[in-house]
Amino acid sequence: MKVLTLDDFDLKGKTVFLRVDMNCPIDSNTMEISGTKRIEEAIETIKALDQSKLVIASHQGRVGNDDYTGMDKHVKVLEKLLNKKIKYVEDVIGQSAQNEIKNLQNGEILLLDNLRLCAEENYEFSPDDASNTIMVKRLAHLFDLCVLDSFPSAHRSHPSIVGFPHVLPACAGRIVEREVRNLDEIMTVAKAPHVIVLGGSKVPDRLEAIKMLIKTGRADHVLLTGLIGNVFMRAQARVKYPLGIKREDEVVAKAHALIGEYPDVFTTPVDVAIDKDGQRVDMDVRDLQTGDKIYDLGPKTIDHYSKIIASAGTVFISGPAGFFEKKDFSLGTRGLLNAVANSMATSLVSGGHLTTALKEQGLEEKINHISTAGGALVLYLTGEKLPMIKALESAASKHKSD
Ligand code: 3PG
């Protein structure tokens, strides 16, 4: 790996900007964190920086979405996990944040508020432009080192990811170090047929990535589940009513175009489970009635997909197959993970939901690599160099020539 790691720096007494990804699922009724996995994962790097003046920064959710909140909940979880008081400031780039950073002592930790409160963090920039954002201009001079450990956001060229490393010495945190090493190893042994099992809810991002995966020979079969599966069934006119999702016409049109361009690649469910008065009801896709809420795959589909997974050389699964938090609708997710774990293929599992489900099923040991990332990993697999990795490589080459 051509990037620097924490082992390349003397960290003692240094003021460090640590970009993590503590973007957690949020229960929309209570607005509390419903899964703390991403915070737990950040702990290893935080502990490695226990001699520094440490400033932790993350985003949470997207502006306009239900999961867009402050980091006040995260600080409580961090304190519990570290058994230590963490300073928290409801600010990102203002005077209060700057004062708190300046006043930090060795061994102290400060958590900034949601980076996306700062408008610039919601846009993509070139590294040069990112280093000229107000965020980087106001904060960078307060730090000695930038540590990037938010692998799930490695595909975002936001100021916190590509701006700080452009002007500061920068290195990978433990998650990024491990992900890149493991993924590089996996990519060298990956063999055809490549089976991709895609679910989850970030449909527009996924549609872009699917096309690239197919074009780069990383997807011989794409098995669709979850919301993206519903979008493809709608594009095939097998679901005959609107799904009621954001940008529906646009994503359905894109799915339709993909099916036209690659007719032999996609497999969609033949049966699904819907929620009828709080009960799971399995049915053939042809029997769906307007307004039926599809919450899981049906048993025939789980069986069919499992057989395709069993014949894979490499299998990559990302995103839950249904509303897996509800036990009745977790059969698809659990069944497919079981198939992946028991196949002879090189296996890659991505994203927080699936990682949680794998752990519950005790299947972690049977998987070649479990990644913290969702969308970033999909792009990584296409062979595209992610903005965070480029930023780290460029920081490493500058460091060498200094
Ligand atoms: C993720 O969960 O995929 C990352 O935190 C990135 O989030 P984003 O898709 O909102 O940029």
Side-chain angles (χ1 to χ4, degrees):
M1 179 159 70
K2 290 172 280 171
V3 309
L4 300 172
T5 71
L6 294 169
D7 304 324
D8 293 301
F9 291 89
D10 175 12
L11 305 167
K12 196 169 177 188
K14 299 284 163 27
T15 309
V16 176
F17 175 82
L18 170 62
R19 174 56 159 108
V20 293
D21 191 324
M22 298 196 296
N23 183 23
C24 295
I26 301 284
D27 182 318
S28 54
N29 295 318
T30 61
M31 290 310 281
E32 289 299 329
I33 294 173
S34 58
T36 56
K37 187 104 186 77
R38 289 248 176 108
I39 308 181
E40 289 161 35
E41 281 160 352
I43 296 298
E44 186 183 355
T45 299
I46 295 175
K47 282 194 171 159
L49 288 158
D50 64 355
Q51 307 276 302
S52 309
K53 299 168 191 168
L54 180 59
V55 178
I56 305 177
S58 173
H59 69 282
Q60 169 59 56
R62 288 184 186 179
V63 178
N65 285 4
D66 284 353
D67 60 352
Y68 180 59
T69 70
M71 306 301 289
D72 48 316
K73 306 142 190 64
H74 305 65
V75 77
K76 289 186 206 137
V77 180
L78 270 180
E79 283 186 332
K80 234 189 205 162
L81 290 169
L82 290 164
N83 194 19
K84 170 176 178 157
K85 177 93 193 109
I86 312 284
K87 295 186 168 185
Y88 173 61
V89 60
E90 281 186 2
D91 186 14
V92 180
I93 58 168
Q95 205 54 59
S96 331
Q98 293 179 46
N99 289 341
E100 291 285 352
I101 297 169
K102 283 182 201 154
N103 291 333
L104 273 180
Q105 303 298 314
N106 285 356
E108 285 188 337
I109 302 177
L110 168 70
L111 175 65
L112 299 179
D113 209 342
N114 188 344
L115 286 169
R116 289 184 180 173
L117 284 172
C118 186
E120 293 165 333
E121 186 69 6
N122 297 280
Y123 295 95
E124 309 263 324
F125 295 90
S126 69
D128 207 29
D129 288 345
S131 68
N132 276 313
T133 53
I134 295 174
M135 177 188 282
V136 177
K137 287 222 171 268
R138 282 203 189 160
L139 298 187
H141 68 100
L142 302 173
F143 296 108
D144 301 306
L145 174 68
C146 161
V147 179
L148 298 177
D149 212 22
S150 56
F151 191 66
S153 338
H155 55 322
R156 305 285 180 223
S157 44
H158 294 162
S160 71
I161 294 167
V162 299
F164 288 110
H166 199 61
V167 291
L168 282 170
C171 71
R174 297 296 186 215
I175 295 178
V176 169
E177 186 187 344
R178 190 168 41 244
E179 290 267 11
V180 173
R181 190 180 49 233
N182 288 350
L183 287 168
D184 281 351
E185 264 171 39
I186 284 195
M187 297 301 269
T188 57
V189 296
K191 54 181 188 303
H194 297 270
V195 174
I196 309 279
V197 189
L198 272 192
S201 55
K202 290 180 182 169
V203 177
D205 285 8
R206 294 275 150 125
L207 287 168
E208 295 301 325
I210 287 175
K211 190 165 182 158
M212 277 158 65
L213 283 170
I214 299 172
K215 274 189 171 167
T216 52
R218 294 285 176 196
D220 299 309
H221 302 287
V222 178
L223 313 181
L224 295 157
T225 71
L227 193 53
I228 191 154
N230 300 349
V231 167
F232 272 77
M233 286 194 283
R234 180 102 179 93
Q236 293 167 319
R238 294 174 59 231
V239 169
K240 298 187 177 19
Y241 52 90
L243 301 165
I245 59 168
K246 279 188 189 165
R247 297 164 60 185
E248 180 156 341
D249 290 348
E250 179 191 331
V251 291
V252 169
K254 278 194 177 160
H256 190 261
L258 277 172
I259 296 168
E261 204 171 338
Y262 305 103
D264 303 326
V265 171
F266 299 102
T267 306
T268 51
V270 287
D271 61 345
V272 291
I274 63 158
D275 179 2
K276 207 157 210 152
D277 306 322
Q279 296 294 314
R280 176 186 175 108
V281 177
D282 290 306
M283 62 168 63
D284 193 291
V285 170
R286 284 172 299 196
D287 298 329
L288 285 168
Q289 302 291 320
T290 301
D292 278 346
K293 290 197 170 13
I294 307 170
Y295 279 176
D296 199 6
L297 302 175
K300 284 188 205 147
T301 304
I302 299 172
D303 193 47
H304 180 50
Y305 281 14
S306 298
K307 286 190 177 122
I308 299 176
I309 290 169
S311 68
T314 307
V315 60
F316 166 53
I317 179 165
S318 177
F323 198 166
F324 103 101
E325 294 89 336
K326 290 197 175 193
K327 197 159 180 289
D328 282 354
F329 297 102
S330 66
L331 297 190
T333 303
R334 296 167 72 85
L336 297 186
L337 282 176
N338 211 33
V340 171
N342 289 308
S343 78
M344 301 299 282
T346 302
S347 53
L348 199 50
V349 175
S350 114
H353 286 105
L354 292 187
T355 315
T356 307
L358 263 186
K359 200 171 177 185
E360 278 169 19
Q361 289 173 257
L363 294 173
E364 287 165 303
E365 295 299 315
K366 293 184 154 190
I367 304 295
N368 290 92
H369 180 60
I370 302 171
S371 175
T372 53
L377 180 58
V378 179
L379 271 188
Y380 186 93
L381 294 181
T382 65
E384 188 170 303
K385 188 149 277 178
L386 305 179
M388 176 189 287
I389 307 299
K390 274 194 216 160
L392 284 168
E393 286 182 355
S394 143
S397 62
K398 269 191 223 153
H399 188 79
K400 247 195 210 151
S401 56
D402 281 351

